[in-house]
Amino acid sequence: MNILAFESSCDETSVAVVRDGRTVLSNVVASQTELHSLYGGVVPEIASRRHMELIRTLTEQALEQAGMSKSDIDAVACTTAPGLIGALLVGLSFAKAFAYGLGVPFIPVHHIRGHVAANYLAFPELKPPFVALVASGGHSSILHVTDYTAYKTLGITRDDAAGECFDKIARVLGLGYPGGALLDKLAEGGNPNAYKLPRGKIDGSPMDMSFSGLKTSVLNIINSAKQRGEEINTKDLSASFSQAVCDVLIPRLKSALEITNEKTVVLAGGVAANSWLRQELKQSVNGKNLYLAPLTLCGDNAAMIGAQGFYEFQAGNTAELSHNALATCKADKCLC
Ligand code: KG4
Ligand code: ZN
């Protein structure tokens, strides 16, 4: 089954063709980083407009690279939640029109389920059940995936997402936007114990996460050093911050494995590209089957939506053309 897939929930416009949920025939990704870097973060209105400018050409490119014409497409999948609402609506409207024009089913896909499904593309043997950690610019979730379309959120961030903190700290350090990868590079070889940083906890909800206190602590260190005219060791600070993020995520992931009795762990989302996190995970979850999404599929892309779209289709989760986008929505919820 050939699925034409769309992703436009934030600042990447992406169109892909995926066969049977496992094989990427094309995956065209246009990043808007340059446009938004001027403002130090994603400007939703600019993102929506850029998606509109790009989506048609990218669709032609995705079909061409897959060596296909429109008539070879069996279904259309699209991220419809969660994300920036204007940005989502561009992909959704285009995808629905395409499905209607071709007379094929329309499959709404949850963005977080899509991130998890990036691993199905890279690892043919991987199948549920497993525990997944999805960490990105907008989300930090620990999930129990009992089947391709059966999700239970075990823990979620109560405030900032991990990636948001990477971006904010990198911005204040003057590294540029998006800052995750730049901060990752800076942390290399730094001392993770040089700066004492908090590890947030939520009373009564041990699996939930909080990153805003950690972010504020780092920002306070930078700002007070600036005010006093003191130098800070940015390498050590980045390493200390990266370690603190790992110390929030990894123990919760280990608890999730214990609670669910699962033997397989899946890492996904933009922050899954973080080398500190990948390294720490490899060391701390030994004895389990650990799947780390390949770097090329960690960030937002439409191939992961095509992969999850296949399994949603198999579960009968297709939608009417009246289907709408949602800015927020847990991965547990069926979108149809
Ligand atoms: O999954 P994604 O492309 O978009 C969302 O769904 O949010 O994730 C983007 C986020 C950004 O915050 C970016 O800074 C972060 O992932 N990121 C990283 C790294 N590469 C990207 N964070 C830490 N280390 C990295 N190497
Ligand atoms: Zn994402």
Side-chain angles (χ1 to χ4, degrees):
M1 176 184 205
N2 297 322
I3 294 187
L4 179 68
F6 295 90
E7 159 60 42
S8 70
S9 65
C10 191
D11 62 343
E12 262 94 27
T13 325
S14 181
V15 188
V17 180
V18 177
R19 178 168 290 161
D20 296 336
R22 294 281 177 165
T23 309
V24 182
L25 301 181
S26 65
N27 187 23
V28 186
V29 184
S31 169
Q32 303 180 3
T33 298
E34 255 178 57
L35 272 180
H36 300 287
S37 62
L38 191 63
Y39 308 95
V42 178
V43 182
E45 180 65 21
I46 294 177
S48 313
R49 284 168 190 262
R50 191 67 183 141
H51 288 313
M52 280 172 63
E53 285 165 6
L54 291 173
I55 199 159
R56 197 174 145 251
T57 317
L58 296 189
T59 304
E60 282 163 8
Q61 284 175 13
L63 285 168
E64 194 186 314
Q65 284 180 22
M68 289 200 171
S69 65
K70 290 176 200 150
S71 57
D72 298 315
I73 298 300
D74 302 304
V76 174
C78 178
T79 306
T80 66
L84 301 171
I85 197 69
L88 285 167
L89 284 171
V90 176
L92 172 69
S93 310
F94 194 87
K96 283 198 297 192
F98 217 92
Y100 179 67
L102 293 180
V104 298
F106 171 69
I107 312 161
V109 175
H110 193 287
H111 186 72
I112 292 180
R113 291 189 186 190
H115 271 302
V116 171
N119 286 274
Y120 302 142
L121 297 168
F123 308 110
E125 75 284 9
L126 174 65
K127 49 181 196 259
F130 52 76
V131 166
L133 166 62
V134 178
S136 71
H139 320 280
S140 305
S141 303
I142 294 173
L143 307 145
H144 189 199
V145 184
T146 50
D147 204 344
Y148 289 103
T149 56
Y151 275 64
K152 185 172 187 326
T153 301
L154 302 174
I156 199 161
T157 182
R158 293 289 188 96
D159 39 55
D160 296 334
E164 229 173 314
C165 302
F166 273 97
D167 291 338
K168 184 70 198 276
I169 293 166
R171 186 164 103 198
V172 173
L173 287 175
L175 298 179
Y177 171 83
L182 302 163
L183 206 73
D184 188 0
K185 191 122 202 59
L186 185 61
E188 218 175 281
N191 175 6
N193 303 311
Y195 290 88
K196 205 170 154 4
L197 298 171
R199 275 76 167 146
K201 281 195 180 109
I202 310 287
D203 274 350
S205 299
M207 296 295 283
D208 282 348
M209 297 154 263
S210 165
F211 291 103
S212 77
L214 169 61
K215 179 186 76 180
T216 308
S217 273
V218 177
L219 297 180
N220 285 344
I221 290 170
I222 300 168
N223 290 332
S224 45
K226 262 187 206 157
Q227 278 166 5
R228 290 202 292 265
E230 289 169 8
E231 283 284 309
I232 46 168
N233 186 324
T234 54
K235 189 171 253 322
D236 285 351
L237 184 59
S238 305
S240 302
F241 168 70
S242 304
Q243 185 62 52
V245 171
C246 292
D247 290 348
V248 173
L249 295 174
I250 296 175
R252 284 164 179 77
L253 195 53
K254 284 168 110 175
S255 302
L257 285 165
E258 267 176 47
I259 294 165
T260 59
N261 212 14
E262 295 297 353
K263 310 234 162 342
T264 303
V265 189
V266 166
L267 179 66
V271 179
N274 187 263
S275 48
W276 205 284
L277 178 61
R278 293 172 88 90
Q279 192 53 35
E280 287 280 309
L281 264 177
K282 277 184 206 159
Q283 282 165 8
S284 53
V285 297
N286 44 18
K288 306 283 178 192
N289 307 313
L290 177 62
Y291 290 92
L292 304 174
L295 298 187
T296 47
L297 292 172
C298 285
D300 289 349
N301 67 86
M304 66 187 199
I305 302 304
Q308 183 60 24
F310 175 73
Y311 294 105
E312 297 291 346
F313 178 81
Q314 288 205 320
N317 297 335
T318 57
E320 298 295 318
L321 296 179
S322 55
H323 184 84
N324 210 347
L326 292 170
T328 55
C329 177
K330 266 187 158 181
D332 311 29
K333 200 174 170 294
C334 174
L335 294 175
C336 296

